[in-house]
Amino acid sequence: MMQQNWGRSVRLFAVSMLVTAGCAATAGAVGTPLAPPAVYPASTWQGKGTAVVRVLDRLDAHVEVLSVPVGGEAVHYKNLDILARRCLQRPPTRAPDAAAWLEIQDTHPGGAAFKGWMLAAEPGLGVLESSVYDVRMVQCAGDDVAPFLPPLPKPAAPPPLPEAAPVEGGAPPSPTPPGLVVPASPARPAAPDNANPFQPDPDGAY
């Protein structure tokens, strides 16, 4: 039994040393540099034909989502007139965002008015100062209009890595960890010619 365990320990140690040597050879291999993914510049926007806004009536807590055509007639909701001049959205390779130039008028006497940009990701930058209505930019929709997306720039691949100098006489032998003595594997009797390769040896090892 001791000899059987000893033989298995020797084989496991040999396998671990081979795996370590293979990993070291893989880490030292020279790879081909890959080009970074193509992205649009940070200042790129795509024009769209419709601005989608969300209106909250604070008096009855009713929420309405409105589609406002860019450059078209004003959309009416209760006492609000909403006109969209432009709607821009981020290209696919950038973080999602949308911005619309809106003109909003509350037709109540002395009602609030707004004229400027509203951003979906930054609703606090453009606010309708109204005690009754809250208007938020949601997204752009519809057909593509100017400005159109330019061709996606093609990134250049980095220069190849320098090749590693060849090792004289092949790879150096893997060192034996300090304090560990590798015993010689005991000789095993030769298997007969008609031995079944799928059956274990008499000591239980394959």
Side-chain angles (χ1 to χ4, degrees), residues 77-155:
Y77 174 73
K78 295 186 177 182
N79 289 92
L80 284 182
D81 291 339
I82 304 175
L83 189 66
R85 296 297 184 184
R86 296 189 74 183
C87 195
L88 306 174
Q89 73 175 13
R90 281 296 195 184
T93 61
R94 288 288 171 178
D97 197 5
W101 180 275
L102 302 175
E103 297 179 9
I104 306 173
Q105 179 65 56
D106 185 350
T107 58
H108 282 114
F114 173 83
K115 185 177 182 180
W117 289 100
M118 283 191 177
L119 278 74
E122 298 288 343
L125 296 182
V127 179
L128 174 67
E129 302 290 344
S130 172
S131 58
V132 179
Y133 300 108
D134 178 77
V135 180
R136 298 289 181 93
M137 177 63 191
V138 177
Q139 65 180 4
C140 295
D143 298 331
D144 293 345
V145 298
F148 297 97
L149 292 177
L152 190 63
K154 183 178 181 180

Side-chain angles (χ1 to χ4, degrees), residues 4-100:
Q4 177 181 351
N5 293 336
W6 185 264
R8 289 181 177 176
S9 300
V10 171
R11 284 191 291 273
L12 290 175
F13 175 77
V15 171
S16 64
M17 295 302 292
L18 290 175
V19 172
T20 303
C23 293
T26 303
V30 178
T32 302
L34 299 178
V39 296
Y40 284 102
S43 59
T44 307
W45 293 84
Q46 167 66 62
K48 302 294 284 185
T50 303
V52 181
V53 298
R54 184 185 65 205
V55 181
L56 166 65
D57 187 339
R58 294 188 177 94
L59 298 181
D60 57 7
H62 179 73
V63 177
E64 188 77 16
V65 178
L66 306 175
S67 296
V68 185
V70 173
E73 298 290 334
V75 172
H76 305 283
Y77 174 73
K78 295 186 177 182
N79 289 92
L80 284 182
D81 291 339
I82 304 175
L83 189 66
R85 296 297 184 184
R86 296 189 74 183
C87 195
L88 306 174
Q89 73 175 13
R90 281 296 195 184
T93 61
R94 288 288 171 178
D97 197 5

